[in-house]
Amino acid sequence: MKLLFDQNLSRKLVNRLADIFPGSSHVQFHELAEKTDTEIWEFAQGNDFCIVTQDADFAERSRLYGSPPKVVWLRCGNAPTREVEMMIRSGEEAIQELLRDSRLHCLELY
């Protein structure tokens, strides 16, 4: 499964994390930057993406509806892109487990 980075995250993450999450993308690349959370959710669901966000709304939606799509909620506040990249890299194993385990819907990374 690929990662779909939300609007609140840098597009640079797609290339920076391509070695561990190939095929990932950013909402801007799909003209979703100005779309609603529901439209982003449906796009991710229909295209086998896991949403990566700093937005609590997607985590709440995950609690209500389950998955797909799965959600990685980054709890780092307004952090530099390099810090976000390192957070995802250090959480790679947990993210892979989220993607494999059908009982899991959302992962919070701190």
Side-chain angles (χ1 to χ4, degrees):
M1 187 178 290
K2 312 159 290 203
L3 304 180
L4 179 65
F5 296 99
D6 195 12
Q7 181 64 24
N8 53 20
L9 297 167
S10 173
R11 296 174 299 175
K12 294 176 183 178
L13 291 167
V14 173
N15 288 330
R16 289 185 178 190
L17 294 164
D19 60 319
I20 57 174
F21 293 106
S24 294
S25 194
H26 192 278
V27 294
Q28 287 185 351
F29 301 158
H30 303 280
E31 299 180 7
L32 296 168
E34 302 300 321
K35 300 294 184 180
T36 66
D37 287 352
T38 299
E39 290 169 303
I40 293 169
W41 182 270
E42 289 172 353
F43 176 84
Q45 187 176 48
N47 292 280
D48 199 32
F49 279 107
C50 170
I51 298 170
V52 180
T53 186
Q54 291 177 315
D55 186 347
D57 292 347
F58 284 114
E60 289 300 317
R61 186 178 288 264
S62 177
R63 286 185 186 98
L64 287 172
Y65 302 114
S67 60
K70 299 199 179 231
V71 175
V72 175
W73 183 19
L74 303 177
R75 305 291 304 272
C76 57
N78 191 13
T81 300
R82 180 75 179 142
E83 188 176 315
V84 172
E85 177 187 356
M86 295 313 299
M87 175 181 276
I88 293 170
R89 285 188 180 281
S90 67
E92 177 188 6
E93 190 174 312
I95 294 169
Q96 295 293 358
E97 180 64 21
L98 168 73
L99 300 178
R100 280 191 300 270
D101 192 333
S102 62
R103 298 169 297 165
L104 302 176
H105 306 293
C106 183
L107 172 68
E108 293 182 42
L109 290 180
Y110 293 89

